Amino acid sequence: MARENAFPLIAIPLLFGVIVSLFPSVASITGVCYGMIGDNLPSKSDVVHQYQSYGILAMRIYKPDGDTFNALKGTDIDVMVGVPNEELTLYANDASAAASWVQNNILAYDGVSFKYIAVGNEVSGDDANNILPAMSKIWDAICSAGRQDRIMVSTAVRFDVLNNTYPPSNSVFSAPFMGPIVQFLNNTGNPLFANIYPYFAYVGNQGDIPLDYALFTATGTVVSDGQFQYQNLFSAMVDSMYSALEKAGGNNVPVVVSETGWPSYGGVGATVQNAQTYNQNLIRFLNYGTPRVPAYMEGYIFAMFNENQKPGDEVERNFGLFNPNQSPVYPIYFN
Ligand SMILES: *[C@@H]1O[C@H](CO)[C@@H](O)[C@H](O)[C@H]1NC(C)=O
Ligand SMILES: *[C@@H]1O[C@H](CO)[C@@H](O)[C@H](O)[C@H]1NC(C)=O
């Protein structure tokens, strides 16, 4: 990833006193996903001010939003913007439509620090066949505009694109659409965006997954995987992605965690205390990376606000770091 050469190689002393020199890495930035599925959320410009006042350096939004982009102009906030799933068929089949999307939503907003374009979020089923052609047409448009050194293009996948994730080194992509996507990402120097939720893994398998392993609070190794020792589930899940990437020819492809988080209410393990513990530890943890890739990594916490109109289980509406009136659900520090 030539564009990351500006960041110095770093070395981190591990527990055993070994010094490991690291990959070129992305900067250690914790972003926050700005979901807007609520009827009581603050104005876009108030939200941007809130990111700034909390020192939140990156924002993910799920589709282009002019008011938000205008509020972001002139700030240093890095932006990941989504191409909505329902538009992928169009761009997959029409390069000029993809170029117009880039023109109208990226190039038209001078002064916004666009960093990532997520072409689709958790796309599954037959629609997944549109990911690669849409992504490559959006990427071509970014390259034609000469922005390929500043803006990366990928898609955000669910953890269940993987199979055999225990232990992490066994992991493979089971979703057949992933192979060609990984080739594309490897060859173009783009990362993979992965939504990684230890919370849902824990809820689905409480018999095998201790809560402290999911919350980054285990005091020793919980899972041993050859040379790699895991003390937290987040790292094990990220390394499952890396292990599958490697097997699919993606040795060069970094993982950017495009969503992670813990709900504060509404289901098993969903308490204010657990949510605070998870998210605060995550912010710290992203500085060190995982056993397999012990380098700074980038992640986006889901989500900025509790969103009262999100469908689904009660927990879905309670992932926010903040209430809609902008008060914190619990104290959280970004640096
Ligand atoms: C996952 O792996 C198991 C065991 O290797 C296999 O039986 C199963 O079919 C795989 N599932 C998918 C969706 O590939
Ligand atoms: C991945 O990219 C690297 C360098 O960009 C290249 O050397 C390697 O052959 C690629 N791997 C595959 C499987 O395409």
Side-chain angles (χ1 to χ4, degrees):
M1 307 243 345
R3 81 202 63 190
E4 301 303 339
N5 287 349
F7 295 101
L9 292 184
I10 57 168
I12 293 177
L14 297 184
L15 281 182
F16 355 99
V18 179
I19 304 294
V20 181
S21 78
L22 305 169
F23 284 26
S25 75
V26 292
S28 114
I29 285 179
T30 309
V32 178
C33 300
Y34 173 22
M36 304 182 191
I37 309 178
D39 63 5
N40 52 0
L41 297 177
S43 74
K44 311 289 164 71
S45 63
D46 284 351
V47 173
V48 169
H49 286 135
Q50 193 176 354
Y51 272 68
Q52 291 179 298
S53 64
Y54 277 85
I56 304 171
L57 301 175
M59 174 188 289
R60 178 181 182 191
I61 61 176
Y62 290 85
K63 60 180 187 212
D65 182 77
D67 291 342
T68 305
F69 291 162
N70 285 327
L72 284 164
K73 277 184 190 173
T75 71
D76 291 335
I77 298 172
D78 286 333
V79 180
M80 174 186 284
V81 56
V83 177
N85 294 0
E86 56 276 15
E87 296 177 18
L88 296 199
T89 315
L90 174 61
Y91 310 129
N93 292 297
D94 185 348
S96 69
S100 300
W101 188 92
V102 168
Q103 177 58 48
N104 298 336
N105 300 303
I106 305 290
L107 305 181
Y109 292 94
D110 237 6
V112 178
S113 300
F114 292 108
K115 183 166 191 187
Y116 296 124
I117 299 174
V119 182
N121 183 49
E122 303 191 343
V123 179
S124 61
D126 289 345
D127 292 344
N129 296 320
N130 288 320
I131 299 172
L132 180 56
M135 207 165 59
S136 66
K137 288 183 178 69
I138 297 276
W139 176 243
D140 287 346
I142 289 293
C143 294
S144 301
R147 297 293 184 92
Q148 70 278 7
D149 292 334
R150 302 292 302 275
I151 302 179
M152 296 181 237
V153 175
S154 190
T155 189
V157 298
R158 291 163 54 107
F159 193 68
D160 68 6
V161 295
L162 300 175
N163 194 12
N164 301 331
T165 57
Y166 184 87
S169 61
N170 270 349
S171 174
V172 291
F173 288 113
S174 58
F177 59 85
M178 287 304 294
I181 288 177
V182 171
Q183 284 296 311
F184 169 85
L185 298 175
N186 185 73
N187 294 338
T188 54
N190 281 298
L192 177 66
F193 303 149
N195 296 348
I196 302 276
Y197 283 99
Y199 174 73
F200 291 114
Y202 165 74
V203 169
N205 195 357
Q206 293 163 64
D208 290 329
I209 299 179
L211 182 60
D212 62 358
Y213 183 53
L215 291 176
F216 299 92
T217 52
T219 52
T221 297
V222 177
V223 170
S224 228
D225 182 11
Q227 64 185 170
F228 302 121
Q229 317 298 316
Y230 292 92
Q231 211 168 320
N232 69 77
L233 178 56
F234 175 80
S235 288
M237 292 175 79
V238 172
D239 276 0
S240 295
M241 281 288 166
Y242 274 119
S243 164
L245 278 168
E246 222 171 275
K247 290 173 197 127
N251 304 51
N252 270 2
V253 179
V255 172
V256 170
V257 175
S258 41
E259 280 182 20
T260 188
W262 197 283
S264 61
Y265 177 77
V268 176
T271 66
V272 166
Q273 180 65 64
N274 288 347
Q276 178 183 33
T277 299
Y278 180 84
N279 285 322
Q280 194 65 68
N281 282 329
L282 173 86
I283 291 168
R284 190 164 50 82
F285 216 82
L286 289 171
N287 288 307
Y288 302 102
T290 67
R292 194 176 274 270
V293 185
Y296 283 178
M297 65 183 300
E298 223 169 332
Y300 289 77
I301 294 175
F302 188 87
M304 191 67 175
F305 299 106
N306 286 333
E307 292 167 77
N308 68 353
Q309 294 181 317
K310 274 209 90 181
D313 296 338
E314 187 64 35
V315 290
E316 295 289 340
R317 291 175 287 284
N318 291 284
F319 270 87
L321 302 174
F322 297 95
N323 296 298
N325 68 5
Q326 298 188 282
S327 65
V329 176
Y330 42 83
I332 188 96
Y333 301 97
F334 281 83
N335 36 48

